[in-house]
Amino acid sequence: MEKENAQRVISDAEFVQLLKLVRSGDQEAMYRILQLFEEDIQKTSRYIRMSREDAVQSIVTDFMEELRQELKTVKSGQWI
């Protein structure tokens, strides 16, 4: 189990690089970030009163939107 979790840990620098790639429209980078948070998304979806699939989709959609909003702040130089 620790091996599986260890594969999901990346450095801050790697995460920032993924965020920059997302900002440039890299879909693979967005997918990688979603993979990093997949377990948290699944756990959180249990507490939303809708079907699990709908809850996961809602969380993912909101998360992607938040990443893009934060990235707009990054572009203006107010973050990172």
Side-chain angles (χ1 to χ4, degrees):
M1 182 135 178
E2 283 186 36
K3 258 188 177 179
E4 182 179 323
N5 288 339
Q7 292 174 355
R8 293 177 173 247
V9 175
I10 64 171
S11 70
D12 289 345
E14 289 173 304
F15 189 75
V16 169
Q17 182 60 34
L18 284 174
L19 287 175
K20 288 178 182 179
L21 290 170
V22 167
R23 179 178 62 193
S24 69
D26 188 318
Q27 295 298 318
E28 182 64 31
M30 179 65 81
Y31 178 72
R32 178 88 192 279
I33 289 175
L34 291 173
Q35 282 183 313
L36 291 170
F37 289 93
E38 182 177 2
E39 187 176 328
D40 296 320
I41 291 168
Q42 291 296 328
K43 286 179 183 177
T44 303
S45 72
R46 296 178 194 157
Y47 302 102
I48 299 176
R49 293 185 180 180
M50 61 176 68
S51 73
R52 176 72 59 93
E53 295 82 15
D54 288 344
V56 168
Q57 182 63 40
S58 178
I59 293 167
V60 168
T61 301
D62 290 348
F63 184 50
M64 289 171 63
E65 184 177 320
E66 287 297 320
L67 283 174
R68 289 185 179 120
Q69 286 180 356
E70 286 295 320
L71 291 173
K72 289 177 185 174
T73 305
V74 170
K75 193 171 187 176
S76 69
Q78 297 174 5
W79 191 67
I80 296 185

